[in-house]
Amino acid sequence: MSPTATTSLTQRHAALSSPQNQITLLESLDLDRLPEQGDFAATINKSGWAELTPSKLEIFQINIGKLCNMACRHCHVDAGPDRRENMDRQTIDDCLKALDQTSAHTVDITGGAPELNPHFRYLVEQCVVRGKHVIDRCNLTVLLLPTMQDLPEWLAEHKVEVVCSLPHFRQPNTDKQRGDGTFEQSIEALHRLNAVGYGKGNPHLKLTLVSNPADATLSCTQAAVLEQMWKQGLRENHGITFDRLIAINNMPISRHLEWLEQSGNLQSYMELLVNSYNPDTVSGLMCRNTISVSWDGRLFDCDFNQMLDLEIQQPDQKYLHIRDFNPQSLANRQIITGRHCFGCTAGAGSSCSGAIA
Ligand code: SF4
Ligand code: SF4
C-alpha cells in the first residue's frame, strides 16, 4: 500500500472506529463563541426550520458494502480491502421490493467499491428493468482489476451514469489523498470509459467527476469556473473528456475526522463549517429527497448518518429495516442531525450531487 493511503479505522481498532466516539468528539469541541454555539438544530431553527423533514423521495441510495480496492485517507465510509461487509442477495431483493413502493426516479449505488459486490450487476439490471436512472459511484481504479475488464462496456450497455471520484485533475493532489499511482490509474480508467462512449455529451452515457479538497478547506464555490478548468486540464494533458464536475466538502467523520484531529485542524475546520453556514442550502439538503440503505438493510437519512449509525427511528422508537419498508411512515419522519451536518450547509452546500445553493 502506498504511504499516502491508510488502513481502515476498524482494522486498526482505532477509537474513532466507533461512531459514538466520533459524535462525542464533535460534540466536545468548544464552539461556544460561534453562532448558536455550533448547534445545528438551533442554527436551522433560526433560519425558519423548526425541524428538518423530508420532501418527495426521489433518490434511493443503496450502500452495498464497505469492501474497496483502495483505502483513501479521507474516506467517510472507512472502506478498504480489509472490510468484508457486503449486501447479500436477499437484502438486495428487499431493496428492490421497497423501491417498487416508491416513485424514486434514481437509484444511487455506492460503497466501498460497489462493483466488488458479487450482486452489483444483478442490482443494476433489476433497476434498469424498472426504468430507473442508475448511478454507479465508481472510484475509477476498480475498473483496472482483471475481473472488471468488460465493466465499462457493460455499464454503457445499461446506460448507467458513472460518477467517479477524482480529487484533482493534477497528479500530486490526487495521489496525496488517494495513494501513490492513483492518478495514473484513474486516467487509464477514464480513457476506457471514453472509449465506450462515456463523457462525450450523450445524455445516456453521462460521466460525472467528483472533486473534494485534499485539506481542511471547503470545496470551490465557483463550480462553473472549476469545471472549465478541469475540462481543459484533462483534455489538453490527457485527451480525456467528461460531462460534469461536482465539488463536495469533506465531512468531519470517520477517516477524515481522524486526519483532522491528528493534523490539528479539527477545531478550525469545524469553525469554518459553522461560520460558513448558508441558510439557502437547507431546503436542498440531500437527506430531504433521499433514503439511504446500508449493506445490512438498515435505513438512514443519508450516507453520512449511516456511517455514524444514526438510524431512522419510527415514532414508536423502533428502528426500520428495509424488509419492513413503509413509505408513509418514512415521509413523516424527522431527519436526525448533528454537528457533522454543518459539512452539508457550508458555503455553496454539499451533497452527493455537488453544490446545493
Ligand atoms: S475509493 Fe472511495 S470508498 Fe474506497 S477507500 Fe477511497 S474514498 Fe473510500
Ligand atoms: S449529514 Fe447532511 S445530508 Fe445527512 S442528515 Fe445531516 S444535513 Fe442531512
Side-chain angles (χ1 to χ4, degrees):
M1 186 173 292
S2 83
T4 47
T6 184
T7 52
S8 72
L9 296 166
T10 303
Q11 190 187 41
R12 284 181 274 132
H13 303 289
L16 288 179
S17 62
S18 151
Q20 186 51 55
N21 285 350
Q22 295 178 39
I23 293 168
T24 303
L25 176 59
L26 288 175
E27 289 299 326
S28 71
L29 296 173
D30 179 6
L31 303 179
D32 284 354
R33 291 171 292 110
L34 303 187
E36 313 316 314
Q37 289 80 46
D39 181 302
F40 188 77
T43 302
I44 61 168
N45 197 286
K46 211 175 169 198
S47 313
W49 292 83
E51 55 187 29
L52 199 56
T53 50
S55 54
K56 185 170 176 251
L57 178 61
E58 296 181 285
I59 300 170
F60 203 95
Q61 188 172 63
I62 313 178
N63 190 317
I64 60 175
K66 293 181 186 290
L67 175 63
C68 188
N69 58 313
M70 299 181 73
C72 310
R73 192 194 66 194
H74 70 286
C75 184
H76 78 268
V77 182
D78 197 29
D82 56 90
R83 302 302 299 266
R84 291 290 171 266
E85 299 91 334
N86 255 341
M87 186 175 277
D88 61 19
R89 174 70 179 259
Q90 179 60 57
T91 310
I92 284 180
D93 282 333
D94 289 339
C95 286
L96 293 167
K97 270 189 217 143
L99 180 64
D100 289 340
Q101 296 176 55
T102 78
S103 55
H105 51 67
T106 296
V107 179
D108 185 340
I109 306 176
T110 187
E115 305 86 351
L116 296 180
N117 182 309
H119 309 297
F120 170 76
R121 295 190 194 206
Y122 169 75
L123 174 59
V124 171
E125 281 166 352
Q126 290 299 314
C127 295
V128 169
V129 163
R130 286 163 167 80
K132 305 295 180 186
H133 175 64
V134 180
I135 292 174
D136 170 28
R137 293 203 178 257
C138 176
N139 69 19
L140 286 172
T141 61
V142 75
L143 297 178
L144 304 192
L145 296 179
T147 51
M148 301 286 158
Q149 298 303 302
D150 67 327
L151 190 57
E153 202 164 4
W154 189 89
L155 291 168
E157 276 168 19
H158 291 80
K159 301 185 174 61
V160 174
E161 178 179 358
V162 184
V163 176
C164 305
S165 41
L166 186 72
H168 202 272
F169 68 89
R170 293 201 177 97
Q171 179 258 329
N173 307 46
T174 290
D175 285 357
K176 183 177 163 196
Q177 190 175 108
R178 314 211 103 184
D180 294 345
T182 300
F183 184 77
E184 201 181 322
Q185 291 178 38
S186 301
I187 293 297
E188 170 59 24
L190 286 168
H191 276 304
R192 293 186 190 186
L193 289 167
N194 276 172
V196 296
Y198 275 105
K200 296 174 184 295
N202 180 341
H204 298 298
L205 296 178
K206 263 200 207 158
L207 178 56
T208 300
L209 298 187
V210 185
S211 92
N212 60 298
D215 48 23
T217 57
L218 295 184
S219 63
C220 178
T221 52
Q222 293 180 302
V225 175
L226 198 66
E227 185 175 283
Q228 277 319 309
M229 199 191 298
W230 277 60
K231 283 193 166 167
Q232 189 177 353
L234 286 175
R235 189 180 58 242
E236 290 179 358
N237 297 326
H238 305 285
I240 282 166
T241 57
F242 65 96
D243 296 302
R244 189 169 65 115
L245 177 76
I246 59 181
I248 60 171
N249 292 334
N250 289 316
M251 296 298 282
I253 63 173
S254 194
R255 294 211 289 262
H256 191 61
L257 179 60
E258 180 189 52
W259 176 81
L260 287 167
E261 188 188 30
Q262 290 181 348
S263 61
N265 283 295
L266 180 55
Q267 178 75 26
S268 59
Y269 188 62
M270 279 312 297
E271 288 178 10
L272 176 66
L273 293 182
V274 174
N275 281 325
S276 307
Y277 170 70
N278 178 353
D280 293 341
T281 61
V282 180
S283 63
L285 287 172
M286 67 176 177
C287 46
R288 301 200 63 229
N289 71 346
T290 303
I291 202 79
S292 162
V293 191
S294 64
W295 68 275
D296 52 359
R298 292 179 298 145
L299 291 180
F300 299 85
D301 298 306
C302 71
D303 205 45
F304 308 123
N305 280 7
Q306 186 181 136
M307 300 314 145
L308 291 175
D309 247 349
L310 297 171
E311 277 180 68
I312 291 175
Q313 273 184 313
Q314 302 277 57
D316 60 5
Q317 306 293 304
K318 275 197 191 139
Y319 292 117
L320 198 61
H321 192 272
I322 192 69
R323 74 175 84 89
D324 308 314
F325 188 78
N326 177 343
Q328 277 72 41
S329 67
L330 276 180
N332 295 327
R333 77 190 191 275
Q334 186 175 339
I335 293 165
I336 302 169
T337 59
R339 275 191 167 163
H340 62 290
C341 295
F342 282 108
C344 296
T345 53
S350 185
S351 73
C352 286
S353 309
I356 299 170

